[in-house]
Amino acid sequence: MDWNHTLSRQIAQLPRSGIREFFDLVIGSKGIISLGVGEPDFVTPWHVREAAIYSLEKGHTTYTSNYGLESLRRAISQYVQDFFHVEYDPTCEILPTVGVSQAIDLALRCLLNPGDEVLYHEPGYVSYAPTVSMTYAHATPIQTSIDDLFALSPQKLEEAISPATKVLMLNFPTNPTGSIAPLGTLKKIADICRKHDIFVLTDEIYSELRYDGETHTSIASLPGMKERTLLLHGFSKAFAMTGMRLGYACGPRELIDLMVKIHSYTMICPSITSQEAGIEALKNGKPAMEEMRDSYHRRRDYIVKRFNEMGMDCHMPGGAFYTFPSVKRFGLSSRDFALRLLKEQKVAAVPGTAFGSCGEGYLRCCYATGFNLLEQACDKMAHFCESLQSQQTCV
Amino acid sequence: MIQEALLKLLEEDARLSDRQIAARLGTSEEEVASSRAELEQQGRIVGYQTIVNDDSIGVAAFIEVRCTPEQEGGFNRLAERIARFDEVRSCFLMSGGYDLLVMVEAKDLMGVAKFVTDKLSSMGGVLSTSTHFRLKTYKLNGLMFDVPSSSERISVAP
Ligand SMILES: Cc1ncc(COP(=O)(O)O)c(C=O)c1O
C-alpha cells in the first residue's frame, strides 16, 4: 500500500500533540507521581453515578433526538442562566455534545471555510490549532506572557487581526496556565470583536473552578456579544465527569442548526446514560462541586507557595487546576527540565512547550492530585531544584 | 477560624502532623496546635483512633435496649453504666421503638451472649434487649471497606 498516497495529507501533516509525546515517555516508567493529568482526581459524585445506573436500570438505552433530551436542554438552559447570566432557548439555542471536544470540532467546521483565519491565545489547550487545521482554515496564535498573567492582551489581539480573521477562540480560566481574563480586559476584547465583526468561540469549561474571589463572567454576557458568541461548557471538570463525555454548546440558532446537521450525520447524540447523569449533576450537583472546588483551592495555595519557596517563580493562577511555574532560572529548557525531573525524581509534569512555543521556560503542573501525593511531589521537586542550583554554582 | 477545616482534615487522616496541616490550610504550625488543643479541651475532639477492619476476627452485635427512665436524669445513669463495660464500643440514646442502641464487641458469639445475659438484661431498669449480629462491614466512619481503589487515571492527559 502506498500510504503517502492513501492517507489524508492534511491529517498526516498535523503535528503530534506534545502531551502525547510526553505520555509515551511516562507510560514506560514505574512509581511515578504525576502532575501531568488534566482531569479531576475525584470520582464522579455518587448521586450522579447513581442517576446513570438508574437510567440503565430503567432500560434507557436508546438514541435520543439529535438535539439531546429536552429535559437536559432545559436543565442546561436554567443552569447557564443562573451561572453565566445569559438566556438560551432550550428548543433551538442549546446542543448537548460528546464533551466540549466535539462541540469545538462541530463549531469550527460550521464556521470556517478554507483560508479563513482563527485567532487563539497561547499557551493554550492542545486541540484548538489542530482542529482548526482539519477544516483547512488557518490558526494563528497570539502569545501571552507572565506580564499579562497569561491573559490575552487586547492590544496584541487588535494587532493580530487580518482581513482573513473570522473567529477568536478564548479559554478562561485557561488550560495550561490557570489564568483568567479580568473583566476590563474581557470588555475590551468584546469591543474589538464587535468592531471587527469577529465571532467568538469561548471554551469556559473551567468556569466554576475560580479561587480568586471573583465571580466568573462569560464574554457571552457582555452587551452585544450573545449573537456573536458560541459558549462551550461541559461536565468534565467541575462535576468530575470526564469519562461521561458530555458537554454542550449555547449560541445563535443559525449556528446551532448547522452544527446539528453534522452532529446528526457523525454522532447522532451523546449517550443517553450520560445525558441523564448530566441532568442530575446540573440539578443537584452544586454542593459536591463546591466541595471539590474548595479542595482544589487549598491545594493551589499550597503548591504555589511550595514552588516559590523552591525557586520556581509561579504566579497565583485564578482558576482551573493548573499551575504554570517558571523553570527559567535553572538554565534548562522546559523539556529537559521535565525529562530530568521524571528520570531523577519520578515526578511527571508537562513541558510548557506542549501548549505552544511561548510555553518555553514553564511547566504545567496539575494539582488535582491527592494532598499526600502533592506533598511528596513537592518534596521531590524541591530536592531536584536544590541539586540543579548546587550544580549551577559549582560550574 | 480554622477549626472546622482542621477537623475535616483530621477526620480523614488523624495522623497528619501539625506541620502538614498548617501547610495545607495555609496557616502556621502554632495556630494549628492551639486550635487542636482548644478542640481537645472543649471535648469536640474526643480521641484519635485507628479504623480497623476486624470483620473476620471478632464478633460484633448491635443491641436494642428498652429501659425505664428514672425520675431524675432520665436514661443517663443507666446509659452510662452500660457504656462503662469494656465490651461496649458505642452507646447511643435513640428515638423510636427502643431507647438505647449498644454496640458490643467480643471474641466470639458466646462472649456477646454472656454479656447480654449476665450483665445487660439482669441490670435493674432494663426491660428488654434485642440483639443483631454484624455480618459484614461495608462502611465505617465514612470509610468504605474492601473496595479496590478506583480505576487508574492515565498519568499524562491534555
Ligand atoms: C480547555 C479545555 N477544553 C476542552 C477540554 C475537553 O473537554 P471535554 O472532556 O468536555 O471534551 C479540556 C480537557 O482537558 C480542556 O482543558
Side-chain angles (χ1 to χ4, degrees):
Chain A
M1 188 114 241
D2 177 4
W3 289 111
N4 277 336
H5 173 75
T6 306
L7 297 176
S8 151
R9 270 191 304 282
Q10 184 72 1
I11 305 302
Q13 280 165 10
L14 282 181
R16 244 176 232 295
S17 147
I19 293 242
R20 187 72 226 173
E21 185 210 18
F22 205 68
F23 175 76
D24 290 339
L25 286 169
V26 173
I27 203 75
S29 350
K30 283 210 169 63
I32 300 286
I33 302 180
S34 182
L35 308 181
V37 291
E39 62 180 323
D41 60 323
F42 295 101
V43 181
T44 308
W46 169 244
H47 70 101
V48 177
R49 282 184 278 154
E50 206 269 339
I53 294 167
Y54 187 46
S55 159
L56 284 170
E57 206 169 282
K58 286 184 289 191
H60 293 182
T61 54
T62 57
Y63 294 129
T64 67
S65 145
N66 293 139
Y67 280 93
L69 294 169
E70 196 200 330
S71 45
L72 173 62
R73 274 179 280 127
R74 272 193 271 112
I76 292 171
S77 173
Q78 188 63 53
Y79 184 87
V80 169
Q81 188 175 341
D82 293 344
F83 186 77
F84 295 100
H85 310 295
V86 196
E87 248 176 84
Y88 291 100
D89 182 346
T91 62
C92 58
E93 293 182 322
I94 295 175
L95 177 63
T97 53
V98 178
V100 167
S101 304
Q102 191 213 354
I104 294 171
D105 179 40
L106 292 179
L108 290 173
R109 282 202 267 169
C110 292
L111 287 164
L112 300 172
N113 293 311
D116 285 344
E117 181 186 54
V118 177
L119 299 176
Y120 68 102
H121 50 102
E122 256 186 13
Y125 183 50
V126 292
S127 88
Y128 297 160
T131 315
V132 170
S133 299
M134 285 182 228
T135 69
Y136 296 85
H138 185 68
T140 307
I142 305 174
Q143 302 203 334
T144 65
S145 74
I146 187 68
D147 302 330
D148 298 313
L149 292 175
F150 298 105
L152 175 61
S153 127
Q155 191 197 334
K156 283 194 203 158
L157 168 62
E158 188 126 42
E159 284 163 13
I161 292 171
S162 78
T165 306
K166 194 173 193 183
V167 173
L168 171 66
M169 293 180 82
L170 295 176
N171 171 224
F172 297 112
T174 311
N175 177 3
T177 56
S179 65
I180 46 132
L183 185 57
T185 307
L186 212 56
K187 284 182 176 162
K188 284 186 197 148
I189 293 173
D191 290 343
I192 295 169
C193 291
R194 277 194 308 272
K195 181 170 140 202
H196 294 272
D197 196 24
I198 289 171
F199 191 86
V200 177
L201 205 58
T202 180
D203 174 354
E204 303 189 14
I205 192 164
Y206 294 103
S207 50
E208 286 90 348
L209 306 180
R210 286 277 297 253
Y211 321 110
D212 55 350
E214 306 279 324
T215 47
H216 178 83
T217 303
S218 171
I219 193 165
S221 70
L222 299 180
M225 288 308 291
K226 186 189 159 191
E227 66 253 34
R228 59 173 63 252
T229 302
L230 189 71
L231 169 63
L232 308 179
H233 196 24
F235 297 78
S236 288
K237 314 293 173 167
F239 295 107
M241 290 169 66
T242 45
M244 297 270 187
R245 310 306 306 122
L246 188 65
Y248 49 89
C250 304
R253 83 175 288 168
E254 292 77 5
L255 175 57
I256 295 284
D257 254 2
L258 220 59
M259 288 167 66
V260 172
K261 198 193 273 185
I262 303 184
H263 189 58
S264 70
Y265 290 136
T266 61
M267 190 62 73
I268 303 177
C269 63
S271 104
I272 187 171
T273 318
S274 302
Q275 291 192 52
E276 296 201 332
I279 295 171
E280 172 63 22
L282 291 174
K283 291 201 163 151
N284 302 313
K286 203 169 170 215
M289 184 267 282
E290 288 177 343
E291 196 163 313
M292 292 188 272
R293 182 197 61 197
D294 293 346
S295 158
Y296 296 135
H297 188 166
R298 284 193 293 278
R299 293 183 247 175
R300 176 200 69 157
D301 292 351
Y302 173 81
I303 199 171
V304 170
K305 184 156 176 279
R306 290 291 308 265
F307 282 162
N308 284 301
E309 281 167 3
M310 65 181 82
M312 298 205 292
D313 302 311
C314 183
H315 73 287
M316 186 62 91
F321 34 55
Y322 307 105
T323 50
F324 209 58
S326 162
V327 298
K328 288 179 184 167
R329 74 163 62 174
F330 300 100
L332 292 175
S333 70
S334 298
R335 190 166 180 277
D336 289 347
F337 189 99
L339 286 178
R340 281 186 56 183
L341 180 64
L342 180 65
K343 204 163 142 241
E344 293 172 30
Q345 293 292 338
K346 293 188 172 290
V347 174
V350 185
T353 41
F355 309 94
S357 57
C358 65
E360 181 55 84
Y362 296 89
L363 289 183
R364 187 193 75 175
C365 300
C366 173
Y367 50 88
T369 288
F371 231 120
N372 289 332
L373 288 176
L374 271 192
E375 283 171 349
Q376 287 176 39
C378 286
D379 290 347
K380 285 163 175 271
M381 289 174 85
H383 198 73
F384 181 65
C385 290
E386 234 169 73
S387 75
L388 287 180
Q389 257 156 352
S390 61
Q391 281 166 26
Q392 275 182 326
T393 45
C394 289
V395 175
Chain B
M1 276 316 268
I2 61 158
Q3 288 196 342
E4 292 311 311
L6 171 64
L7 280 177
K8 200 152 178 272
L9 284 181
L10 285 174
E11 277 178 323
E12 270 168 34
D13 184 357
R15 293 185 67 203
L16 289 175
S17 68
D18 288 354
R19 199 168 68 85
Q20 281 175 304
I21 293 170
R24 291 187 188 190
L25 298 181
T27 173
S28 69
E29 216 173 315
E30 293 74 37
E31 165 96 26
V32 172
S34 73
S35 294
R36 186 203 282 269
E38 206 169 299
L39 285 163
E40 287 168 1
Q41 227 154 35
Q42 293 165 354
R44 189 90 195 279
I45 294 182
V46 183
Y48 303 87
Q49 292 185 330
T50 303
I51 295 169
V52 180
N53 182 347
D54 57 3
D55 273 7
S56 54
I57 301 168
V59 175
F62 294 86
I63 309 170
E64 301 167 2
V65 183
R66 289 201 313 116
C67 36
T68 350
E70 293 170 357
Q71 246 173 8
E72 265 177 44
F75 295 100
N76 288 349
R77 211 178 55 85
L78 190 57
E80 282 164 20
R81 250 181 92 197
I82 293 174
R84 284 211 172 84
F85 284 102
D86 287 343
E87 293 91 333
V88 175
R89 299 291 297 167
S90 328
C91 179
F92 308 95
L93 178 64
M94 309 293 287
S95 67
Y98 55 93
D99 305 304
L100 298 177
L101 180 63
V102 179
M103 195 241 193
V104 168
E105 276 180 10
K107 269 212 293 291
D108 50 24
L109 220 75
M110 280 317 292
V112 175
K114 229 168 118 52
F115 174 78
V116 175
T117 51
D118 293 3
K119 293 172 179 155
L120 195 57
S121 23
S122 57
M123 208 178 272
V126 170
L127 297 174
S128 72
T129 64
S130 168
T131 303
H132 310 270
F133 284 96
R134 174 189 71 193
L135 299 182
K136 181 175 163 72
T137 306
Y138 292 94
K139 191 177 188 182
L140 185 58
N141 291 0
L143 295 180
M144 298 288 292
F145 276 34
D146 278 344
V147 187
S149 64
S150 58
S151 71
E152 286 277 307
R153 285 189 299 173
I154 49 177
S155 45
V156 181

